[in-house]
Amino acid sequence: MGMTLPTLDRYPHGANLIIDGQPTILLGGQVHNSSTSCEESIIATFEKANKLNYNFVIGSISWLQFEPIEGQFDFALLESQIHIAQEQNLKLVLIWFGAYKNAGSTYAPSWVRNNKDRFARAVSKQQQDSGRPSQGNAVLSVFSENLKLADMTAFQQLLRHLADFDKNHTVVMVQVENEAGLLGSSRDYSQPAEDAWTSQVPAGLLSSLEQALLPADQVVRDTWASAGSLKAGTWSEVFGDSWQAHEIFMAWHFATYIEALAKAGKAEKALPMYANAWLGPQAGQDQAGQWPSGGPSQNVIAIYKLAAPSLDFVSPDIYVETAVEQMAIYGRSDNALFIPESRHNTGNLFWSLANHAAVGYAVFGGEDGRVGNQLSEAYAVLGQADQVIATAQKAGTIRPILLEDAQLETAVNFGNMTVKASNSRAKLKRFVEFAGLDLEIRDFQAISELEDLAVKIPSNSDSRPFALIIQESPTEFLLLGKGVNLDFEMPGSTVEIDNVEEGYFSDNVWVPRRNLNGDERLNFLPLNTIGCAKVRVLIFAESA
């Protein structure tokens, strides 16, 4: 194993994750929240991850178990995850389930949750109006300086032990908190929060707004402008008193809280770090508080960039059908895309890698996958070509293909070369009909990607044709995926397909297999399984 600290190699449209000195793409899953709470479960889930062709697993460390008594730290589960990941040839991303997990505080230790005087609780608008305390799950206030210090101290101990214990850097990234924010209210109304609300907006935030906002940061821009674009004042004076203003206020304070942890942790071991987002707005959730107010939602990505510079990126947890649109929101020029939670959806994986130069992709409930499913097949193919893909991401020589079921073709460009990608099955059926052949073509049968579980997020194998295309030279193209065929056009030239070679990658080295010609060129890639092909073209200048 290597001894080089994992880093991010940034470029204008993204970043490569460098592991052991090589650009690497993380392909795997996040195991269930409790799967890393005992060694027996760690063994079972990490072994399953290996069988599913993952090259990494997202596990978690619970503050509740890590520091059950204040000042006494238990490293056993951390060390078990590292040891077992090494045995299964997996890299590891750790989630710190500290004070915030899915906008709750149930992973905070009892000694924190049991001391309301020292660690203030968040108060919703409804609780403030009714005068009744919260019931059920604890929600700690992000405005508690005591909480931030205690959480930061524990996180610092975690990274300090990683620096001492994990010399081979099995742990390659760390997620700070989990889907932070406040549910049920657009802002916190506890006394510490009220004190912050009536205080002056930090001058550093206001001085940065005009220069830092991207066109996508419309909510922050419009909220500030509607209150007069003031350069000084309290939060309500500068942003108003709408739910949008509340979300900006909460985002600044959650981001500065997370920044304190990330900065302290990186001082011990400077691993890449990120925060993840419960998406908002989304269907049925149209204002902050319906999603965690203060988390890195699409409305306040810019606030996180300003308040938490120690975070390398913010990441979306994508379970919605509009995955492609969400990737575009988070795959910004100032934010590398990493997807820590998603459904088992292979086409979306390919899109993330080729259209947004994603550094990694993880499904949630990673151990729920059915061995031999489509995603594990994709991970096996892509994992052997990860350096090839990452190099193309940085060079900008990779394009995505994702055809909806009824869509016959689409086009992508490499300079003045247009590559038309078509639905191979549809193209083959047309050829058979035209030629009058008696030939049966089996349609793709979508089946569950998951084991037969009592509770699961429905995820079927992807029937859509999908692929990524890499231009290796002006006349050579690499194609990875399923059900896609290619044609080429160039203005002022005739482009002919010269050679099609199927093959596969082994440790990023191309291994050629059959040479495809004749009617077998109707499907460069397999119709129902995932494969690879290299295509070479001839270019002739058209005569005047």
Side-chain angles (χ1 to χ4, degrees), residues 175-217:
Q175 177 183 303
V176 190
E177 308 293 345
N178 187 86
E179 293 184 355
L182 180 66
L183 281 174
S185 184
S186 57
R187 78 170 177 90
D188 185 355
Y189 288 85
S190 66
Q191 189 56 54
E194 290 289 86
D195 293 342
W197 178 249
T198 56
S199 68
Q200 294 289 301
V201 177
L205 169 59
L206 293 176
S207 65
S208 300
L209 281 180
E210 287 183 341
Q211 293 76 28
L213 297 183
L214 299 182
D217 299 316

mmCIF file of all heavy atoms in Angstrom, residues 175-217:
data_model
loop_
_atom_site.group_PDB
_atom_site.id
_atom_site.type_symbol
_atom_site.label_atom_id
_atom_site.label_comp_id
_atom_site.label_asym_id
_atom_site.label_seq_id
_atom_site.Cartn_x
_atom_site.Cartn_y
_atom_site.Cartn_z
ATOM 1 N N GLN A 175 -16.336 12.717 5.884
ATOM 2 C CA GLN A 175 -17.540 13.549 5.843
ATOM 3 C C GLN A 175 -17.778 14.125 7.226
ATOM 4 O O GLN A 175 -17.831 13.386 8.215
ATOM 5 C CB GLN A 175 -18.748 12.728 5.399
ATOM 6 C CG GLN A 175 -20.058 13.512 5.389
ATOM 7 C CD GLN A 175 -21.231 12.655 5.007
ATOM 8 O OE1 GLN A 175 -21.250 12.044 3.934
ATOM 9 N NE2 GLN A 175 -22.232 12.592 5.876
ATOM 10 N N VAL A 176 -17.953 15.437 7.315
ATOM 11 C CA VAL A 176 -18.115 16.125 8.589
ATOM 12 C C VAL A 176 -19.608 16.339 8.855
ATOM 13 O O VAL A 176 -20.277 17.103 8.158
ATOM 14 C CB VAL A 176 -17.373 17.469 8.593
ATOM 15 C CG1 VAL A 176 -17.353 18.055 10.006
ATOM 16 C CG2 VAL A 176 -15.939 17.312 8.073
ATOM 17 N N GLU A 177 -20.142 15.649 9.878
ATOM 18 C CA GLU A 177 -21.570 15.624 10.199
ATOM 19 C C GLU A 177 -22.327 14.955 9.052
ATOM 20 O O GLU A 177 -21.728 14.475 8.084
ATOM 21 C CB GLU A 177 -22.109 17.028 10.506
ATOM 22 C CG GLU A 177 -21.321 17.811 11.547
ATOM 23 C CD GLU A 177 -21.377 17.232 12.967
ATOM 24 O OE1 GLU A 177 -22.239 16.380 13.240
ATOM 25 O OE2 GLU A 177 -20.560 17.655 13.811
ATOM 26 N N ASN A 178 -23.661 14.912 9.149
ATOM 27 C CA ASN A 178 -24.471 14.244 8.129
ATOM 28 C C ASN A 178 -25.812 14.949 7.972
ATOM 29 O O ASN A 178 -26.588 15.038 8.933
ATOM 30 C CB ASN A 178 -24.713 12.780 8.510
ATOM 31 C CG ASN A 178 -25.407 12.012 7.406
ATOM 32 O OD1 ASN A 178 -24.770 11.497 6.498
ATOM 33 N ND2 ASN A 178 -26.734 11.946 7.462
ATOM 34 N N GLU A 179 -26.036 15.474 6.770
ATOM 35 C CA GLU A 179 -27.279 16.179 6.472
ATOM 36 C C GLU A 179 -27.651 17.128 7.602
ATOM 37 O O GLU A 179 -28.736 17.066 8.178
ATOM 38 C CB GLU A 179 -28.407 15.193 6.159
ATOM 39 C CG GLU A 179 -28.179 14.423 4.873
ATOM 40 C CD GLU A 179 -29.324 13.513 4.475
ATOM 41 O OE1 GLU A 179 -30.304 13.391 5.245
ATOM 42 O OE2 GLU A 179 -29.244 12.898 3.399
ATOM 43 N N ALA A 180 -26.703 18.015 7.904
ATOM 44 C CA ALA A 180 -26.900 18.988 8.981
ATOM 45 C C ALA A 180 -28.008 19.974 8.620
ATOM 46 O O ALA A 180 -28.325 20.188 7.449
ATOM 47 C CB ALA A 180 -25.591 19.731 9.248
ATOM 48 N N GLY A 181 -28.564 20.595 9.635
ATOM 49 C CA GLY A 181 -29.607 21.591 9.454
ATOM 50 C C GLY A 181 -30.700 21.401 10.488
ATOM 51 O O GLY A 181 -30.595 20.562 11.395
ATOM 52 N N LEU A 182 -31.756 22.194 10.359
ATOM 53 C CA LEU A 182 -32.867 22.169 11.310
ATOM 54 C C LEU A 182 -34.157 21.886 10.556
ATOM 55 O O LEU A 182 -34.496 22.588 9.608
ATOM 56 C CB LEU A 182 -32.971 23.516 12.029
ATOM 57 C CG LEU A 182 -34.100 23.654 13.063
ATOM 58 C CD1 LEU A 182 -33.883 22.726 14.256
ATOM 59 C CD2 LEU A 182 -34.229 25.105 13.523
ATOM 60 N N LEU A 183 -34.876 20.858 10.973
ATOM 61 C CA LEU A 183 -36.174 20.527 10.392
ATOM 62 C C LEU A 183 -37.307 21.122 11.217
ATOM 63 O O LEU A 183 -37.186 21.290 12.437
ATOM 64 C CB LEU A 183 -36.351 19.010 10.309
ATOM 65 C CG LEU A 183 -35.654 18.271 9.163
ATOM 66 C CD1 LEU A 183 -35.824 16.779 9.339
ATOM 67 C CD2 LEU A 183 -36.182 18.724 7.811
ATOM 68 N N GLY A 184 -38.417 21.428 10.543
ATOM 69 C CA GLY A 184 -39.606 21.889 11.253
ATOM 70 C C GLY A 184 -39.651 23.377 11.483
ATOM 71 O O GLY A 184 -40.652 23.897 11.996
ATOM 72 N N SER A 185 -38.616 24.086 11.114
ATOM 73 C CA SER A 185 -38.570 25.538 11.313
ATOM 74 C C SER A 185 -37.487 26.091 10.404
ATOM 75 O O SER A 185 -36.427 25.475 10.240
ATOM 76 C CB SER A 185 -38.258 25.863 12.777
ATOM 77 O OG SER A 185 -38.305 27.258 13.019
ATOM 78 N N SER A 186 -37.728 27.257 9.819
ATOM 79 C CA SER A 186 -36.736 27.826 8.919
ATOM 80 C C SER A 186 -35.539 28.401 9.653
ATOM 81 O O SER A 186 -34.487 28.616 9.060
ATOM 82 C CB SER A 186 -37.365 28.897 8.024
ATOM 83 O OG SER A 186 -37.975 29.909 8.798
ATOM 84 N N ARG A 187 -35.704 28.660 10.961
ATOM 85 C CA ARG A 187 -34.536 29.031 11.766
ATOM 86 C C ARG A 187 -34.742 28.637 13.217
ATOM 87 O O ARG A 187 -35.856 28.312 13.648
ATOM 88 C CB ARG A 187 -34.200 30.522 11.637
ATOM 89 C CG ARG A 187 -35.055 31.495 12.428
ATOM 90 C CD ARG A 187 -34.424 32.878 12.377
ATOM 91 N NE ARG A 187 -35.205 33.912 13.048
ATOM 92 C CZ ARG A 187 -35.072 34.245 14.347
ATOM 93 N NH1 ARG A 187 -34.223 33.571 15.111
ATOM 94 N NH2 ARG A 187 -35.798 35.206 14.879
ATOM 95 N N ASP A 188 -33.660 28.665 13.945
ATOM 96 C CA ASP A 188 -33.632 28.348 15.377
ATOM 97 C C ASP A 188 -34.053 29.600 16.156
ATOM 98 O O ASP A 188 -33.608 30.717 15.859
ATOM 99 C CB ASP A 188 -32.196 27.929 15.728
ATOM 100 C CG ASP A 188 -32.025 27.455 17.170
ATOM 101 O OD1 ASP A 188 -32.991 27.526 17.957
ATOM 102 O OD2 ASP A 188 -30.898 27.016 17.488
ATOM 103 N N TYR A 189 -34.917 29.393 17.161
ATOM 104 C CA TYR A 189 -35.379 30.511 18.002
ATOM 105 C C TYR A 189 -34.910 30.364 19.441
ATOM 106 O O TYR A 189 -35.449 31.010 20.339
ATOM 107 C CB TYR A 189 -36.908 30.603 17.961
ATOM 108 C CG TYR A 189 -37.434 31.120 16.638
ATOM 109 C CD1 TYR A 189 -37.644 30.258 15.564
ATOM 110 C CD2 TYR A 189 -37.708 32.472 16.455
ATOM 111 C CE1 TYR A 189 -38.112 30.722 14.350
ATOM 112 C CE2 TYR A 189 -38.192 32.950 15.244
ATOM 113 C CZ TYR A 189 -38.378 32.067 14.199
ATOM 114 O OH TYR A 189 -38.845 32.552 12.989
ATOM 115 N N SER A 190 -33.897 29.527 19.687
ATOM 116 C CA SER A 190 -33.337 29.444 21.031
ATOM 117 C C SER A 190 -32.681 30.775 21.385
ATOM 118 O O SER A 190 -32.429 31.614 20.511
ATOM 119 C CB SER A 190 -32.302 28.318 21.113
ATOM 120 O OG SER A 190 -31.180 28.615 20.292
ATOM 121 N N GLN A 191 -32.371 30.970 22.662
ATOM 122 C CA GLN A 191 -31.794 32.248 23.068
ATOM 123 C C GLN A 191 -30.450 32.520 22.395
ATOM 124 O O GLN A 191 -30.212 33.638 21.913
ATOM 125 C CB GLN A 191 -31.644 32.322 24.595
ATOM 126 C CG GLN A 191 -31.251 33.712 25.099
ATOM 127 C CD GLN A 191 -32.228 34.790 24.659
ATOM 128 O OE1 GLN A 191 -33.441 34.692 24.880
ATOM 129 N NE2 GLN A 191 -31.728 35.827 23.980
ATOM 130 N N PRO A 192 -29.539 31.522 22.308
ATOM 131 C CA PRO A 192 -28.294 31.806 21.588
ATOM 132 C C PRO A 192 -28.534 32.168 20.123
ATOM 133 O O PRO A 192 -27.825 33.014 19.564
ATOM 134 C CB PRO A 192 -27.504 30.497 21.712
ATOM 135 C CG PRO A 192 -28.073 29.803 22.893
ATOM 136 C CD PRO A 192 -29.510 30.187 22.933
ATOM 137 N N ALA A 193 -29.540 31.543 19.517
ATOM 138 C CA ALA A 193 -29.855 31.862 18.127
ATOM 139 C C ALA A 193 -30.432 33.268 18.002
ATOM 140 O O ALA A 193 -30.095 34.007 17.063
ATOM 141 C CB ALA A 193 -30.848 30.838 17.569
ATOM 142 N N GLU A 194 -31.284 33.653 18.933
ATOM 143 C CA GLU A 194 -31.842 35.007 18.914
ATOM 144 C C GLU A 194 -30.745 36.049 19.089
ATOM 145 O O GLU A 194 -30.762 37.104 18.431
ATOM 146 C CB GLU A 194 -32.889 35.158 20.018
ATOM 147 C CG GLU A 194 -34.163 34.386 19.783
ATOM 148 C CD GLU A 194 -34.993 34.983 18.657
ATOM 149 O OE1 GLU A 194 -34.741 34.637 17.486
ATOM 150 O OE2 GLU A 194 -35.868 35.832 18.947
ATOM 151 N N ASP A 195 -29.781 35.760 19.940
ATOM 152 C CA ASP A 195 -28.652 36.680 20.112
ATOM 153 C C ASP A 195 -27.883 36.837 18.803
ATOM 154 O O ASP A 195 -27.467 37.952 18.442
ATOM 155 C CB ASP A 195 -27.720 36.176 21.213
ATOM 156 C CG ASP A 195 -28.360 36.205 22.588
ATOM 157 O OD1 ASP A 195 -29.377 36.917 22.766
ATOM 158 O OD2 ASP A 195 -27.867 35.503 23.489
ATOM 159 N N ALA A 196 -27.703 35.724 18.097
ATOM 160 C CA ALA A 196 -26.986 35.782 16.816
ATOM 161 C C ALA A 196 -27.805 36.511 15.760
ATOM 162 O O ALA A 196 -27.258 37.288 14.957
ATOM 163 C CB ALA A 196 -26.651 34.366 16.349
ATOM 164 N N TRP A 197 -29.117 36.278 15.735
ATOM 165 C CA TRP A 197 -29.993 36.896 14.745
ATOM 166 C C TRP A 197 -29.980 38.425 14.837
ATOM 167 O O TRP A 197 -30.062 39.127 13.812
ATOM 168 C CB TRP A 197 -31.403 36.353 14.915
ATOM 169 C CG TRP A 197 -32.449 36.924 14.000
ATOM 170 C CD1 TRP A 197 -33.480 37.733 14.349
ATOM 171 C CD2 TRP A 197 -32.581 36.704 12.581
ATOM 172 N NE1 TRP A 197 -34.247 38.041 13.258
ATOM 173 C CE2 TRP A 197 -33.712 37.421 12.151
ATOM 174 C CE3 TRP A 197 -31.844 35.981 11.652
ATOM 175 C CZ2 TRP A 197 -34.144 37.441 10.824
ATOM 176 C CZ3 TRP A 197 -32.259 35.993 10.320
ATOM 177 C CH2 TRP A 197 -33.377 36.712 9.920
ATOM 178 N N THR A 198 -29.874 38.938 16.051
ATOM 179 C CA THR A 198 -29.894 40.400 16.249
ATOM 180 C C THR A 198 -28.501 41.010 16.233
ATOM 181 O O THR A 198 -28.360 42.215 16.447
ATOM 182 C CB THR A 198 -30.597 40.742 17.572
ATOM 183 O OG1 THR A 198 -29.946 40.046 18.652
ATOM 184 C CG2 THR A 198 -32.065 40.337 17.532
ATOM 185 N N SER A 199 -27.490 40.203 15.985
ATOM 186 C CA SER A 199 -26.123 40.726 15.904
ATOM 187 C C SER A 199 -25.815 41.164 14.471
ATOM 188 O O SER A 199 -26.602 40.941 13.550
ATOM 189 C CB SER A 199 -25.118 39.670 16.356
ATOM 190 O OG SER A 199 -25.083 38.597 15.437
ATOM 191 N N GLN A 200 -24.680 41.790 14.280
ATOM 192 C CA GLN A 200 -24.273 42.259 12.964
ATOM 193 C C GLN A 200 -23.873 41.074 12.062
ATOM 194 O O GLN A 200 -23.219 40.123 12.511
ATOM 195 C CB GLN A 200 -23.088 43.206 13.091
ATOM 196 C CG GLN A 200 -23.420 44.507 13.822
ATOM 197 C CD GLN A 200 -24.298 45.421 12.984
ATOM 198 O OE1 GLN A 200 -23.929 45.824 11.883
ATOM 199 N NE2 GLN A 200 -25.477 45.766 13.516
ATOM 200 N N VAL A 201 -24.262 41.146 10.815
ATOM 201 C CA VAL A 201 -23.805 40.160 9.839
ATOM 202 C C VAL A 201 -22.292 40.311 9.679
ATOM 203 O O VAL A 201 -21.794 41.439 9.566
ATOM 204 C CB VAL A 201 -24.504 40.368 8.479
ATOM 205 C CG1 VAL A 201 -23.962 39.385 7.440
ATOM 206 C CG2 VAL A 201 -26.011 40.212 8.626
ATOM 207 N N PRO A 202 -21.535 39.210 9.706
ATOM 208 C CA PRO A 202 -20.076 39.335 9.586
ATOM 209 C C PRO A 202 -19.670 40.124 8.341
ATOM 210 O O PRO A 202 -20.172 39.889 7.241
ATOM 211 C CB PRO A 202 -19.605 37.884 9.500
ATOM 212 C CG PRO A 202 -20.660 37.108 10.220
ATOM 213 C CD PRO A 202 -21.946 37.809 9.919
ATOM 214 N N ALA A 203 -18.754 41.063 8.548
ATOM 215 C CA ALA A 203 -18.315 41.917 7.445
ATOM 216 C C ALA A 203 -17.690 41.102 6.325
ATOM 217 O O ALA A 203 -17.832 41.437 5.141
ATOM 218 C CB ALA A 203 -17.319 42.952 7.967
ATOM 219 N N GLY A 204 -17.001 40.009 6.694
ATOM 220 C CA GLY A 204 -16.367 39.178 5.678
ATOM 221 C C GLY A 204 -17.369 38.564 4.718
ATOM 222 O O GLY A 204 -17.091 38.417 3.521
ATOM 223 N N LEU A 205 -18.555 38.190 5.222
ATOM 224 C CA LEU A 205 -19.595 37.650 4.362
ATOM 225 C C LEU A 205 -20.084 38.717 3.400
ATOM 226 O O LEU A 205 -20.168 38.501 2.187
ATOM 227 C CB LEU A 205 -20.751 37.115 5.213
ATOM 228 C CG LEU A 205 -22.041 36.745 4.473
ATOM 229 C CD1 LEU A 205 -21.778 35.678 3.422
ATOM 230 C CD2 LEU A 205 -23.112 36.287 5.454
ATOM 231 N N LEU A 206 -20.401 39.891 3.923
ATOM 232 C CA LEU A 206 -20.961 40.947 3.085
ATOM 233 C C LEU A 206 -19.964 41.445 2.045
ATOM 234 O O LEU A 206 -20.333 41.729 0.903
ATOM 235 C CB LEU A 206 -21.445 42.102 3.960
ATOM 236 C CG LEU A 206 -22.643 41.762 4.855
ATOM 237 C CD1 LEU A 206 -22.989 42.935 5.768
ATOM 238 C CD2 LEU A 206 -23.848 41.389 4.007
ATOM 239 N N SER A 207 -18.701 41.539 2.417
ATOM 240 C CA SER A 207 -17.701 42.028 1.464
ATOM 241 C C SER A 207 -17.436 41.032 0.346
ATOM 242 O O SER A 207 -16.930 41.398 -0.713
ATOM 243 C CB SER A 207 -16.391 42.354 2.191
ATOM 244 O OG SER A 207 -15.820 41.175 2.746
ATOM 245 N N SER A 208 -17.794 39.768 0.572
ATOM 246 C CA SER A 208 -17.516 38.720 -0.417
ATOM 247 C C SER A 208 -18.686 38.439 -1.348
ATOM 248 O O SER A 208 -18.504 37.820 -2.402
ATOM 249 C CB SER A 208 -17.131 37.416 0.298
ATOM 250 O OG SER A 208 -15.986 37.582 1.090
ATOM 251 N N LEU A 209 -19.891 38.873 -0.967
ATOM 252 C CA LEU A 209 -21.064 38.445 -1.710
ATOM 253 C C LEU A 209 -21.021 38.825 -3.182
ATOM 254 O O LEU A 209 -21.324 38.012 -4.053
ATOM 255 C CB LEU A 209 -22.336 38.999 -1.063
ATOM 256 C CG LEU A 209 -22.843 38.265 0.181
ATOM 257 C CD1 LEU A 209 -24.108 38.918 0.704
ATOM 258 C CD2 LEU A 209 -23.095 36.794 -0.118
ATOM 259 N N GLU A 210 -20.681 40.058 -3.492
ATOM 260 C CA GLU A 210 -20.734 40.503 -4.883
ATOM 261 C C GLU A 210 -19.763 39.722 -5.758
ATOM 262 O O GLU A 210 -20.072 39.384 -6.900
ATOM 263 C CB GLU A 210 -20.431 42.002 -4.967
ATOM 264 C CG GLU A 210 -21.571 42.882 -4.459
ATOM 265 C CD GLU A 210 -21.269 44.361 -4.622
ATOM 266 O OE1 GLU A 210 -20.079 44.698 -4.769
ATOM 267 O OE2 GLU A 210 -22.217 45.153 -4.605
ATOM 268 N N GLN A 211 -18.578 39.407 -5.221
ATOM 269 C CA GLN A 211 -17.553 38.728 -6.013
ATOM 270 C C GLN A 211 -17.743 37.209 -6.040
ATOM 271 O O GLN A 211 -17.368 36.551 -7.012
ATOM 272 C CB GLN A 211 -16.150 39.045 -5.486
ATOM 273 C CG GLN A 211 -15.713 40.493 -5.653
ATOM 274 C CD GLN A 211 -16.365 41.434 -4.649
ATOM 275 O OE1 GLN A 211 -16.719 41.012 -3.548
ATOM 276 N NE2 GLN A 211 -16.529 42.685 -5.026
ATOM 277 N N ALA A 212 -18.307 36.642 -4.971
ATOM 278 C CA ALA A 212 -18.311 35.185 -4.808
ATOM 279 C C ALA A 212 -19.513 34.495 -5.430
ATOM 280 O O ALA A 212 -19.453 33.306 -5.720
ATOM 281 C CB ALA A 212 -18.237 34.840 -3.318
ATOM 282 N N LEU A 213 -20.605 35.210 -5.652
ATOM 283 C CA LEU A 213 -21.812 34.542 -6.110
ATOM 284 C C LEU A 213 -21.724 34.174 -7.586
ATOM 285 O O LEU A 213 -21.293 34.973 -8.425
ATOM 286 C CB LEU A 213 -23.034 35.433 -5.881
ATOM 287 C CG LEU A 213 -23.360 35.778 -4.420
ATOM 288 C CD1 LEU A 213 -24.638 36.592 -4.354
ATOM 289 C CD2 LEU A 213 -23.468 34.526 -3.563
ATOM 290 N N LEU A 214 -22.139 32.951 -7.902
ATOM 291 C CA LEU A 214 -22.240 32.493 -9.276
ATOM 292 C C LEU A 214 -23.665 32.736 -9.778
ATOM 293 O O LEU A 214 -24.579 33.015 -8.982
ATOM 294 C CB LEU A 214 -21.911 31.003 -9.357
ATOM 295 C CG LEU A 214 -20.508 30.579 -8.902
ATOM 296 C CD1 LEU A 214 -20.334 29.080 -9.094
ATOM 297 C CD2 LEU A 214 -19.432 31.346 -9.640
ATOM 298 N N PRO A 215 -23.903 32.645 -11.085
ATOM 299 C CA PRO A 215 -25.277 32.816 -11.579
ATOM 300 C C PRO A 215 -26.286 31.890 -10.901
ATOM 301 O O PRO A 215 -27.458 32.257 -10.757
ATOM 302 C CB PRO A 215 -25.136 32.496 -13.074
ATOM 303 C CG PRO A 215 -23.733 32.884 -13.403
ATOM 304 C CD PRO A 215 -22.928 32.523 -12.179
ATOM 305 N N ALA A 216 -25.837 30.714 -10.481
ATOM 306 C CA ALA A 216 -26.756 29.765 -9.841
ATOM 307 C C ALA A 216 -27.181 30.195 -8.440
ATOM 308 O O ALA A 216 -28.155 29.664 -7.906
ATOM 309 C CB ALA A 216 -26.100 28.386 -9.769
ATOM 310 N N ASP A 217 -26.473 31.155 -7.854
ATOM 311 C CA ASP A 217 -26.745 31.548 -6.467
ATOM 312 C C ASP A 217 -27.836 32.616 -6.390
ATOM 313 O O ASP A 217 -27.705 33.633 -5.702
ATOM 314 C CB ASP A 217 -25.464 32.038 -5.800
ATOM 315 C CG ASP A 217 -24.386 30.964 -5.748
ATOM 316 O OD1 ASP A 217 -24.729 29.821 -5.416
ATOM 317 O OD2 ASP A 217 -23.222 31.268 -6.044
#
